[in-house]
Every structure is written in structure tokens, then in C-alpha cells.
Amino acid sequence: MVGITDQLRATKPQPDLVDRFYKVVEKLKLENPFHCYQCFKCTSGCTSFRLTEIMPHSFVNFVRLGFVEDMMRSELLWACCQCLKCKERCPQDVAPVDVIFLLRRMTVSSGAEIPEDLSKIIMNVTETGFIQGIQKVKVGETSVDREQLGLPPITLPNLEKFSSVLMKAMEEQIE
Amino acid sequence: MKVAIFPGCIAATEQYACELSTREVLRELGVEVVEVPGFSCCGWPLQNVGTVGWVYLAARNMALAAEKGVPLITLCNVCNRMFYEAKFLLTTNSELREKISSLLKEEGRGPLDGVEILHPLELFHDRIGVEEIKKRIKKPLKGLKLAAHTGCQAIRPRKLRSIDDPEYPKKLPSLIEALGAQSPHYPEALDCCGAYLFYTRKDASLTLAGEKVEAVQNWGFDGLVTVCSSGHRMLDGRQDAAATTIGKALNLPVVYYTQLLGLAMGLAPEKLGLQLNRSPVKNLLEKIG
Ligand code: SF4
Ligand code: SF4
């Protein structure tokens, strides 16, 4: 992730996005990132940090300084594994993971692309109700499904209705 | 006692052993499972793209179970958290609540509230109880040392609900010990399985799973025990892929707690779906005898 001096030289804060960010923070009753005192506790225990260099405290800090768009464009936005340790441990209840997920949603509503595999399962949910179709799984040389194992069928009563209401729900963006 | 089962996408479409073994042990324990047709995804993937969509999905599933008036058991830790988070948002945000109510009416659903969400750990540990489970054991798992993987989303954040201690979970180890095995704490007990990084950073996701399995293996455990279909898919289903990613040999038996409980109650391995596990559970079954 970029250093703070580089950031200050490279771009200007983005007041529109900052406004939008704080409106949603208020709506969803998230903790105000201004309560963060940069103690680093979130980053020191972050599961993804070691593998991807994501630094939850710095997401919070850049957002506080007004660099919302830069954080939205960072590929590290998609490096959080949602282990929720930062949310549990933050002494100020700031929950960097909530900041990260809010930025993900703002990115999407601004029309930017999201990782392909994630986009695929979202599409499947809107079209079929599940992230994937009912799979056949291997047992030795053969493969079996729910029915062959004696499990009750999985059914969505009215798929067309389900999809249309869900699409409508998804259009009601608050981010 | 009556309950409904919310499988979630992964148990419903792929991790069949999870639902199979849960149904078998509940029958054996005298817990009746009420069928609820019409469940969908809990909403998690949509949490990445907007708020109303995912809360709507969580709420519609809760409404389906509320119509039956029984507690809802979640077979995936993520689904469990999504339901609690949706409940929190629906009680603290009246605008969102109104939106969701009217969307639910459009699909012909209601009421919104009133379903009790139960994690399997709460069902087995707090409702049925360790003492009751001990009484049902026909085949104690003597001499086995098994690692507990409670999973991240079941225990954090504590503010949302407290299924177990978020820094030192004890319920799964004590449920394993109720079966006659040992389940000592290990330093990597809180390490994440990587499940939800799989859709955005595949390599990092498999590295997390692989390193978790490797650590448990290195401590000399006979196996790893899960209570979540998402975590199980990473640690059991993707163990081979994880081994390739980290370049280590992994061969650790990984079983659902319900499979282990079933075995200790004397149920046949096929009834518990052990033929579906991808990790070398044979090694474990041989030790149990
Ligand atoms: S733990 Fe909380 S207060 Fe400390 S740096 Fe992270 S977000 Fe800020
Ligand atoms: S939830 Fe994300 S940002 Fe927070 S500690 Fe876990 S991986 Fe790091």
C-alpha cells in the first residue's frame, strides 16, 4: 500500500465521496472512523496482512484523510478474508473490515468491476438462488447427488418471482 | 425438541456429508427436523455489492423458518453471522426495515422477525448438553487427539452474539472430549481457513487452508474437526489443492463434528457420509475401529 507522503503528493482528497461514505456509515450505524487512534492493533493481527500486505489501519487512515477513491481503487480492497479479528479487537470499535466492505460496495455502485469469480457467484445467486448448481460429488468411481444420498430436494418455489424481487432489492442502493 | 436446518449454499449443493450427518445424529438424539422448502443463499456474496440485496435474502430465509415457529440451525458459520447481522440492521434501521418488509410482501413472505438462530455448537453444547451426549456414547474415541476448528465467523464479533469465547473458544474442544478423545488447545486454533478469500485471491486462500492443515499435522493430531461447511470445504475438500499451493505433503483426516459424534454413537460411517470426505479419513476410521 502507498505511503502517506506519496499519497499527499499524488492526489487530492475527494470531498463528494467522503460525504457519501459518512452518510452510509451513519445509516448502517457503523462506528465513525475518526475514533481510530492508529494503534495498529488491527493490522498486527490481520490474517491477510502476511500474505497480501493489506493493512486495515491504513484503509481507515486514508479514508479519514479524505482519500476515499484511492482506497476504492486499491486492489488490496479485495484482499481481506473477513476473519473479523480487526472488528473484534479494535479498542475503539472502528472495525476496519466494515470500512473495507463499505468501500467495496461504493466501488460497485460507481460502476467499477469486481473480481471475476465473485461476480460469477453473485450472478448465480440472482438467477438460481444459490452460488452454484446442485453438484454431483465423487464416491470412488461413481458420483452422487442429494437425491441419491436420501437428502430432501432443494427447491425455490417460484424462481421468476424470486429473481425479480431480488433484482429490485439490489437496485435499492444505499451506498 | 424441534428444529429446522438451514444448509446454506455449500452444504445444499456440494458438502452433502454435513447435512446428512447432522440429520442422522439429530434423529438419534431425538431432535425432530421440520422441513422448510424454499430456502436460498443467505446473502453473503451480495454483501460485497450492496446492503438491501443481502439483507433481503437473509430476511426471506428467516421469514420462511419463522412461519414454522422452530429454531433454525445453520450449517455454515457465515450464514449464522449474516442472519445475526441482518437482525441487527433490521432493528436499528427503520428505513431499511420498511424496504425489506415491502419486498418480502411482494414475494408473499412474512413475518420478518421471531426466528431463533442456533449455531450447531449452541445446539449440542448449550441445549442438548455435554452430559447428555456422554450418556449416548457407545464407542468412546479413546486414545485419539483431535484438533478443533471453530471458525472465525461463528465467534466474532462478540458484540453481535456470543456463541463462544472469540479469543479462546472452548465449546468444540469440550464436545470432542465428551466423546472420549482429547482436544488440547494449539497455537493455530484461531487461524482462518481462507474460505472467503477464495473468490477474490485464490492463492492466498489456499495458502491459509494449507498452512492451517500443516500446523495441525505437525502438532501430531490424529485429525481436525469442523462445524462449518465452508471451512470444511477448504480444509477437507481443497486439502490437495492447498498442499500443491504451499508445496507440502498434507494428509490430515478432516471430519465434521456431527460425523465424529455419529461414529461415537455407533452409527455406520456411510450413514454419516464419510465416503464423501476428500481427506484421508480412512486413517482415522481405522484408529476408531
Ligand atoms: S485497531 Fe482500531 S483504533 Fe487501532 S488502528 Fe485499527 S482501526 Fe484504528
Ligand atoms: S477482517 Fe480483513 S482486514 Fe480485518 S483482520 Fe481479517 S483479513 Fe484483516
Side-chain angles (χ1 to χ4, degrees):
Chain A
M1 198 174 270
V2 282
I4 188 73
T5 24
D6 296 337
Q7 188 73 42
L8 287 168
R9 268 194 220 114
T11 44
K12 292 224 158 25
Q14 303 102 26
D16 294 2
L17 286 170
V18 175
D19 266 7
R20 215 167 98 209
F21 179 88
Y22 283 104
K23 274 201 185 108
V24 188
V25 163
E26 206 175 302
K27 266 200 180 159
L28 297 181
K29 304 259 187 311
L30 302 179
E31 195 63 37
N32 191 321
F34 268 96
H35 295 165
C36 163
Y37 46 40
Q38 291 290 295
C39 69
F40 216 75
K41 196 175 175 186
C42 49
T43 297
S44 70
C46 172
T47 298
S48 291
F49 172 55
R50 191 173 47 86
L51 295 173
T52 67
E53 293 175 353
I54 186 178
M55 294 194 281
H57 80 284
S58 101
F59 266 95
V60 177
N61 199 29
F62 280 127
V63 165
R64 293 185 328 162
L65 292 166
F67 299 112
V68 176
E69 193 180 6
D70 302 81
M71 291 300 99
M72 281 164 59
R73 271 200 264 114
S74 164
E75 61 165 49
L76 290 173
L77 190 58
W78 304 95
C80 160
C81 71
Q82 225 184 6
C83 71
L84 304 172
K85 285 178 182 160
C86 59
K87 183 162 173 145
E88 175 64 36
R89 293 172 183 170
C90 171
Q92 295 290 83
D93 283 335
V94 171
V97 60
D98 289 347
V99 171
I100 290 167
F101 267 69
L102 172 46
L103 291 172
R104 285 188 186 185
R105 297 195 292 267
M106 284 177 65
T107 306
V108 172
S109 60
S110 73
E113 293 208 353
I114 64 171
E116 203 185 323
D117 288 350
L118 185 60
S119 149
K120 210 186 286 166
I121 61 168
I122 290 170
M123 189 89 89
N124 288 344
V125 171
T126 57
E127 285 170 2
T128 69
F130 296 95
I131 59 167
Q132 60 183 10
I134 307 280
Q135 310 283 303
K136 281 219 164 213
V137 293
K138 271 217 164 126
V139 182
E141 294 301 299
T142 58
S143 50
V144 293
D145 58 18
R146 291 183 62 89
E147 210 182 331
Q148 284 152 311
L149 290 163
L151 288 167
I154 293 282
T155 46
L156 272 170
N158 184 339
L159 200 52
E160 220 172 285
K161 181 110 217 172
F162 167 86
S163 291
S164 78
V165 181
L166 178 57
M167 290 310 279
K168 199 169 157 189
M170 289 174 75
E171 276 157 25
E172 298 237 18
Q173 273 289 12
I174 57 174
E175 277 82 17
Chain B
M1 187 184 186
K2 288 183 186 179
V3 300
I5 292 178
F6 183 80
C9 293
I10 294 168
T13 65
E14 184 182 325
Q15 282 292 323
Y16 303 133
C18 185
E19 188 177 341
L20 207 59
S21 56
T22 304
R23 285 177 181 272
E24 283 299 322
V25 296
L26 290 185
R27 184 181 307 140
E28 198 68 12
L29 290 165
V31 178
E32 189 188 323
V33 175
V34 177
E35 300 304 332
V36 185
F39 281 143
S40 60
C41 164
C42 71
W44 177 83
L46 307 189
Q47 197 183 31
N48 290 284
V49 296
T51 297
V52 187
W54 84 256
V55 178
Y56 165 69
L57 280 189
R60 85 171 278 286
N61 288 312
M62 289 196 285
L64 281 166
E67 284 163 19
K68 306 280 179 186
V70 293
L72 190 57
I73 311 292
T74 49
L75 299 189
C76 165
N77 286 348
V78 184
C79 305
N80 184 282
R81 178 178 68 90
M82 297 316 283
F83 287 149
Y84 272 94
E85 212 164 303
K87 278 186 170 204
F88 170 79
L89 287 171
L90 289 167
T91 44
T92 53
N93 190 321
S94 52
E95 192 190 326
L96 185 64
R97 192 184 175 84
E98 258 165 49
K99 269 190 189 147
I100 302 292
S101 299
S102 82
L103 287 162
L104 280 178
K105 271 194 207 113
E106 252 180 78
E107 211 208 325
R109 307 256 158 256
L112 248 182
D113 290 302
V115 69
E116 185 188 7
I117 306 297
L118 267 189
H119 189 276
L121 283 177
E122 294 175 297
L123 175 70
F124 292 117
H125 189 277
D126 307 343
R127 299 293 166 94
I128 295 169
V130 170
E131 289 313 311
E132 181 59 29
I133 286 176
K134 276 187 190 162
K135 280 188 218 152
R136 306 295 188 111
I137 301 311
K138 295 202 181 103
K139 225 173 165 187
L141 309 177
K142 285 259 155 56
L144 287 181
K145 195 172 94 169
L146 299 165
H149 176 71
T150 304
C152 298
Q153 306 252 334
I155 48 175
R156 285 185 285 274
R158 142 176 37 199
K159 275 208 165 156
L160 205 55
R161 80 280 191 236
S162 69
I163 287 168
D164 205 342
D165 188 321
E167 298 294 351
Y168 190 21
K170 298 175 199 74
K171 286 183 186 173
L172 185 53
S174 82
L175 282 166
I176 296 170
E177 293 191 342
L179 312 181
Q182 280 182 302
S183 186
H185 187 69
Y186 58 105
E188 296 82 4
L190 289 186
D191 282 12
C192 175
C193 69
Y196 284 98
L197 212 47
F198 195 75
Y199 300 107
T200 54
R201 285 287 185 97
K202 208 155 268 159
D203 263 20
S205 162
L206 289 169
T207 304
L208 286 174
E211 288 180 349
K212 172 101 194 188
V213 170
E214 192 196 8
V216 172
Q217 203 167 283
N218 287 348
W219 287 115
F221 282 99
D222 297 300
L224 179 63
V225 184
T226 60
V227 280
C228 163
S229 45
S230 297
H232 189 90
R233 174 162 78 158
M234 291 303 295
L235 303 166
D236 173 90
R238 293 176 175 149
Q239 195 178 116
D240 282 352
T244 312
T245 304
I246 65 167
K248 298 273 166 63
L250 301 177
N251 53 5
L252 181 75
V254 182
V255 291
Y256 284 108
Y257 179 71
T258 41
Q259 292 183 309
L260 200 66
L261 173 60
L263 288 171
M265 288 198 296
L267 300 174
E270 312 80 63
K271 278 194 150 185
L272 302 162
L274 276 142
Q275 69 278 25
L276 303 173
N277 294 44
R278 292 284 169 265
S279 62
V281 287
K282 245 199 203 150
N283 305 350
L284 188 66
L285 290 172
E286 275 163 17
K287 287 182 193 164
I288 295 173

